[in-house]
Amino acid sequence: MPNAYSRAQKAHDDSNSIRLQKLLAQAGFGSRRKCEDMITEGRVEVDGELVTELGSRVNPKTQQVRVDGSRVRVNPNHVTLALNKPRKVLSAMDDPKGRYTLRDIVGDKYERIFHMGRLDYDSEGLILMTNDGELSQHVMHPKYEVEKTYIATVEGKLSGTVCRRLVKTGVQLDDGWIKLDHCAIIDANRDYTMVKVVLHSGKNRIVRRIFGSIGFPVKRLVRTQIGPIKLGDLKSGSYRVLSQTEVRSLSKEVGL
């Protein structure tokens, strides 16, 4: 009998399999009842095959599940962290010079975990870390450059006109022209200006180089958001595990 079992149906005999609606609930799609409705409405695929039967089981380690075309990522071995990097911490897991690194914050609790992108030594704020290689490749790939938000404190009184020019025209650096996606003054006095900037570029020290090129050296730089993931009230030098809903949102942002 041809096609007697779909890939999803074969998972019934897999000791690592779970019910499809349970997996979707664990991935943050809502209650099991809501996930059951998603299945019966024909919104769920397993390994490219539409699944509408509520008895279907899947192995999250070996099978690919999609909802409305977006990948569902529930591998129990994968973990993704949001870390608030303090100043004078190296964006690396080890340093031959003995400087404080990300490993000193997260320890050895998670195997093969690494950072997705960097912050320079004197900058602070959000760094994402994971042991999910596919997610990391997409987050860091130039094709999927996600928006990054920073709060920069610069020397001098920055005007709204300069902010608008950085968005509309940009500046020319040694490695080409660059524009901000968004620039807004938060606070200012005669000596310093606090400004919120958003941009897609992940080039090295890009925010510092942009403002330095127009005569406003950055005195403090804090990254507060990467794509849909926000730093929030996470304390400096600490980290938290992203929820499945957050991981799903980030994955969707980078085409997974």
Side-chain angles (χ1 to χ4, degrees), residues 84-140:
N84 188 349
K85 186 188 94 66
R87 292 180 68 248
K88 307 301 181 182
V89 171
L90 193 66
S91 293
M93 298 305 290
D94 299 288
D95 180 43
K97 296 181 180 180
R99 289 172 293 182
Y100 209 72
T101 68
L102 301 177
R103 187 184 300 279
D104 291 303
I105 296 176
V106 300
D108 296 318
K109 181 178 180 180
Y110 306 103
E111 292 186 10
R112 296 184 298 277
I113 198 162
F114 44 89
H115 47 93
M116 295 184 277
R118 299 172 181 268
L119 281 172
D120 68 70
Y121 193 58
D122 289 318
S123 294
E124 311 163 53
L126 182 62
I127 283 184
L128 299 180
M129 304 183 70
T130 190
N131 57 6
D132 183 341
E134 186 180 25
L135 177 62
S136 177
Q137 288 176 5
H138 276 246
V139 169
M140 294 191 293

Side-chain angles (χ1 to χ4, degrees), residues 35-243:
C35 294
E36 289 175 353
D37 291 340
M38 295 170 66
I39 295 170
T40 58
E41 289 167 3
R43 298 170 56 190
V44 182
E45 295 179 359
V46 177
D47 290 340
E49 297 181 12
L50 189 66
V51 176
T52 57
E53 295 182 6
L54 296 181
S56 299
R57 300 177 70 91
V58 294
N59 184 335
K61 292 185 178 181
T62 61
Q63 295 184 281
Q64 185 179 110
V65 180
R66 291 183 178 271
V67 174
D68 298 331
S70 296
R71 177 84 176 268
V72 177
R73 307 179 66 80
V74 187
N75 186 326
N77 296 322
H78 286 164
V79 64
T80 302
L81 310 177
L83 181 146
N84 188 349
K85 186 188 94 66
R87 292 180 68 248
K88 307 301 181 182
V89 171
L90 193 66
S91 293
M93 298 305 290
D94 299 288
D95 180 43
K97 296 181 180 180
R99 289 172 293 182
Y100 209 72
T101 68
L102 301 177
R103 187 184 300 279
D104 291 303
I105 296 176
V106 300
D108 296 318
K109 181 178 180 180
Y110 306 103
E111 292 186 10
R112 296 184 298 277
I113 198 162
F114 44 89
H115 47 93
M116 295 184 277
R118 299 172 181 268
L119 281 172
D120 68 70
Y121 193 58
D122 289 318
S123 294
E124 311 163 53
L126 182 62
I127 283 184
L128 299 180
M129 304 183 70
T130 190
N131 57 6
D132 183 341
E134 186 180 25
L135 177 62
S136 177
Q137 288 176 5
H138 276 246
V139 169
M140 294 191 293
H141 196 287
K143 178 181 178 181
Y144 300 105
E145 284 185 343
V146 296
E147 282 190 348
K148 303 171 185 70
T149 302
Y150 300 83
I151 303 298
T153 303
V154 303
E155 286 187 12
K157 191 171 183 178
L158 190 72
S159 69
T161 300
V162 173
C163 258
R164 289 189 290 271
R165 186 167 72 241
L166 290 174
V167 173
K168 185 177 181 180
T169 307
V171 295
Q172 187 171 18
L173 303 177
D174 292 340
D175 49 358
W177 280 91
I178 183 72
K179 295 193 293 185
L180 298 179
D181 297 322
H182 177 78
C183 180
I185 295 172
I186 299 174
D187 193 17
N189 58 38
R190 185 176 62 183
D191 300 317
Y192 296 99
T193 303
M194 183 179 291
V195 59
K196 176 182 178 180
V197 299
V198 180
L199 74 167
H200 285 81
S201 175
K203 291 182 178 179
N204 186 41
R205 298 176 63 87
I206 188 64
V207 176
R208 292 183 182 275
R209 290 195 289 136
I210 288 173
F211 285 100
S213 72
I214 59 172
F216 293 90
V218 175
K219 303 304 293 181
R220 186 185 183 194
L221 185 65
V222 182
R223 185 160 64 195
T224 59
Q225 188 168 345
I226 300 174
I229 309 303
K230 297 181 180 180
L231 183 64
D233 58 2
L234 187 62
K235 293 182 179 180
S236 180
S238 62
Y239 69 91
R240 67 179 179 84
V241 178
L242 296 190
S243 69

